[in-house]
Amino acid sequence: MDWDQLAFEAAPVGIVMAEQRVIRACNQGFARLVGYEKEALVGQSFRLLYDSTEEFEQVRDIGLKPLMQDHAYSDERMVRRRDGGQVWCRFRAQTLTPDDPLARLVMTFAAIHDGPPVSLSVRERQVVGGLGRGLTSKEIARELGLSPRTIEDVRARLHKRFQVKNATELLARLTIG
């Protein structure tokens, strides 16, 4: 194995090369993170990491504008594992094709939750993802086409479930397990 390949495989984060949101290459770190064999991931759509097509498309829409403007995008998000659990990740993407940002991307995924996989509903993941990007309830509601009250209800359930008092504590709890 040459040095470049060794660095790719041994990187302390999951690395993925994708074309039009289809995995073309990934390292062992990414495969371990999502609970699949590396060979089973190549050729798969990123759709397998989301519970619904709506969520899959929504994630695309959130990152597309920054990719078009800055050729890069990052956030924190929940990613679904093969076993159905979810892992909180720091996500980064860099387009190699600025004229068509999703045509060819390099992405990294770094787990930031050390505990057992967390199980959140689609709506809970959407709200936590917005909080992770620093959005208010009103901004999350606008992005999702929901009422701010709906977002506040989801936040209240998450606060109760994880026994926290605010969004900062919630995100910290998801980060350290």
Side-chain angles (χ1 to χ4, degrees), residues 30-115:
F30 179 72
R32 274 192 305 274
L33 181 75
V34 296
Y36 287 86
E37 293 297 321
K38 189 170 105 168
E39 296 74 23
L41 290 166
V42 175
Q44 293 293 321
S45 166
F46 270 95
R47 167 66 178 87
L48 86 146
L49 301 179
Y50 299 95
D51 285 335
S52 70
T53 299
E54 175 188 52
E55 183 182 12
F56 174 63
E57 291 171 357
Q58 190 171 55
V59 167
R60 175 204 60 212
D61 295 345
I62 290 168
L64 191 55
K65 186 175 179 183
L67 278 170
M68 293 172 83
Q69 291 176 343
D70 304 326
H71 314 300
Y73 175 70
S74 64
D75 68 19
E76 292 179 356
R77 62 178 60 175
M78 297 299 286
V79 176
R80 186 178 69 179
R81 296 175 40 84
R82 182 177 182 205
D83 63 11
Q86 294 143 4
V87 62
W88 185 241
C89 295
R90 184 165 290 114
F91 168 79
R92 291 192 166 98
Q94 178 80 36
T95 185
L96 302 177
T97 52
D99 292 336
D100 184 4
L102 299 179
R104 194 170 248 188
L105 290 167
V106 177
M107 297 175 272
T108 62
F109 295 79
I112 54 177
H113 176 77
D114 294 331

Side-chain angles (χ1 to χ4, degrees), residues 163-174:
Q163 299 176 343
V164 297
K165 294 181 177 129
N166 57 46
T168 302
E169 288 181 15
L170 176 63
L171 293 173
R173 181 74 181 268
L174 290 172

